[in-house]
Amino acid sequence: MAKNNEFLWRRLHSLLGIIPVGLFLTQHLIVNHYATRGEQAFNDAAHFMESLPFRYALEIFVIFLPLMFHAFYGIYIAFTAKNNTSRYSTFRNWMFFAQRVTGIFLVIFIAWHVYETRWQVAIGADTADFNMMAEILANPWMFAFYVAGVLAATFHLANGIWSFLVTWGITQSPGAQRMATYITLGIFLALSVVGIRALLAFV
């Protein structure tokens, strides 16, 4: 019974990492990329997202709760799972390890990002706009921290998609898994470019 429950929890963890968490990350990076078009374009895009109907319900039930489950169950996996050298190649073992490391780092990064942006707005300290991000990223250490956060997030999503495809039995053959590796590498590179360009636009 315990093993069956763990199997279901891992399936749910894998699914939520793609839908909705992965979709939200992609949308968040795209909205941030509007900064490359100028301050007003970014502020307009951010305001549009903030004006969506049922915004708080969406944030709680579609973003925060799935993200928290994925994060905390992911920490449990990171500290209990072991590499399976009999099933995966050395490269895949490194990807397995990197997935866990980036996951733990992202828990820290996302908590800090939410504190610097959403929490500051909640207590009335500022407005989440172009100027807020420009002020945050004016610090070279914070800029480097955000670059690391973007790269960790895009890698974690891309590699998570590969794992999702295997976990759900979509890519079973070595050839299919190899093709998925190339596709997810492309996703990682594309989203990384979008994210880094957005950060550079704020500075």
Side-chain angles (χ1 to χ4, degrees):
M1 183 65 69
K3 289 185 177 180
N4 289 336
N5 288 339
E6 184 173 359
F7 174 80
L8 293 175
W9 285 124
R10 285 176 179 267
R11 283 293 183 95
L12 180 60
H13 173 264
S14 175
L15 178 62
L16 291 179
I18 308 302
I19 304 170
V21 175
L23 292 178
F24 169 71
L25 170 62
T26 303
Q27 169 266 319
H28 191 56
L29 291 174
I30 291 173
V31 169
N32 288 348
H33 194 259
Y34 275 86
T36 62
R37 301 183 183 182
E39 179 178 346
Q40 190 59 49
F42 173 81
N43 289 340
D44 289 344
H47 176 70
F48 172 77
M49 297 304 301
E50 292 173 354
S51 62
L52 289 175
F54 310 109
R55 170 192 164 194
Y56 292 110
L58 289 172
E59 288 182 340
I60 293 171
F61 295 104
V62 179
I63 300 173
F64 289 128
L65 290 180
L67 178 60
M68 288 179 66
F69 172 81
H70 185 79
F72 290 115
Y73 194 73
I75 292 175
Y76 165 77
I77 293 175
F79 286 102
T80 59
K82 296 180 180 179
N83 288 331
N84 188 342
T85 56
S86 63
R87 182 175 180 183
Y88 299 122
S89 66
T90 301
F91 172 75
R92 270 300 138 199
N93 278 324
W94 278 109
M95 294 299 98
F96 180 96
F97 176 74
Q99 188 74 356
R100 274 58 191 167
V101 171
T102 54
I104 293 171
F105 173 76
L106 284 170
V107 171
I108 300 170
F109 173 75
I110 293 171
W112 181 257
H113 179 53
V114 170
Y115 168 76
E116 276 198 312
T117 55
R118 298 304 302 275
W119 178 249
Q120 296 304 316
V121 172
I123 62 176
D126 212 331
T127 302
D129 57 9
F130 186 97
N131 289 331
M132 171 186 272
M133 289 307 303
E135 183 176 346
I136 291 172
L137 296 175
N139 183 322
W141 293 105
M142 289 308 303
F143 180 80
F145 182 56
Y146 269 75
V147 168
V150 167
L151 294 177
T154 54
F155 170 84
H156 196 80
L157 173 59
N159 194 54
I161 292 174
W162 188 94
S163 299
F164 170 85
L165 295 174
V166 174
T167 299
W168 288 80
I170 299 172
T171 53
Q172 298 185 24
S173 69
Q177 292 177 14
R178 190 180 310 110
M179 180 60 66
T181 297
Y182 296 137
I183 293 173
T184 53
L185 175 61
I187 292 172
F188 165 65
L189 293 175
L191 290 180
S192 295
V193 169
V194 170
I196 299 302
R197 286 194 68 201
L199 293 179
L200 290 172
F202 288 114
V203 297

